[in-house]
Amino acid sequence: MTNEQFRKIALSFPDSVESAHQGHPDFRVGGKIFATLGTPRENRGMVKLTSEQQLAWVKSNAIGFLPCNGAWGRQGCTYVDLAIAKPSLVRSALQLAFENVSSATSKSSKSDRAKSRTGPPKK
């Protein structure tokens, strides 16, 4: 997957916008970041999962997904190596990150859906 493909998926969600954070593109809904691109290196993204979701993704051997360093990683921020991660899993992770953040910014039924999902989709 390329950076442009990641960007296209992230911007396909309702009300998502591209902005910048610390010199890197980020993707937001309701003013909150749900994903970033190109940090800490090119061809790497980040999705904002919950710590429980992150654990499920990493345990499921989702190739190309690993916890971010430090406190952000302990809070669920998860790196995506775009060169090796399966595009279908990247799409699912972006969807989950979007739902996590959008449910936190709005009091809708999306909150229940985001909390009920944890790991990557079953094959």
Side-chain angles (χ1 to χ4, degrees):
M1 170 172 278
T2 66
N3 287 3
E4 284 308 309
Q5 289 169 318
F6 184 94
R7 174 180 276 111
K8 184 176 179 179
I9 295 168
L11 292 173
S12 72
F13 302 118
D15 302 320
S16 65
V17 296
E18 183 171 343
S19 188
H21 179 72
Q22 297 180 351
H24 298 281
D26 67 38
F27 305 94
R28 300 172 186 239
V29 61
K32 303 287 184 179
I33 296 172
F34 68 91
T36 63
L37 188 57
T39 182
R41 65 177 198 250
E42 197 64 30
N43 209 29
R44 183 175 268 190
M46 182 281 298
V47 290
K48 193 172 183 182
L49 304 177
T50 67
S51 50
E52 294 83 13
Q53 291 165 342
Q54 179 192 74
L55 180 62
W57 277 73
V58 172
K59 278 183 126 177
S60 74
N61 297 315
I63 305 296
F65 292 84
L66 65 151
C68 292
N69 299 327
W72 284 17
R74 288 189 298 274
Q75 295 172 12
C77 292
T78 305
Y79 288 133
V80 182
D81 187 330
L82 301 178
I84 62 174
K86 290 183 178 182
S88 61
L89 291 180
V90 176
R91 179 179 292 281
S92 294
L94 278 164
Q95 175 76 42
L96 189 54
F98 172 80
E99 290 174 0
N100 289 339
V101 172
S102 65
S103 69
T105 59
S106 69
K107 306 291 183 199
S108 71
S109 62
K110 286 188 268 187
S111 175
D112 296 329
R113 283 199 317 266
K115 288 178 184 175
S116 67
R117 292 181 52 209
T118 54
K122 304 287 187 241
K123 294 182 181 178

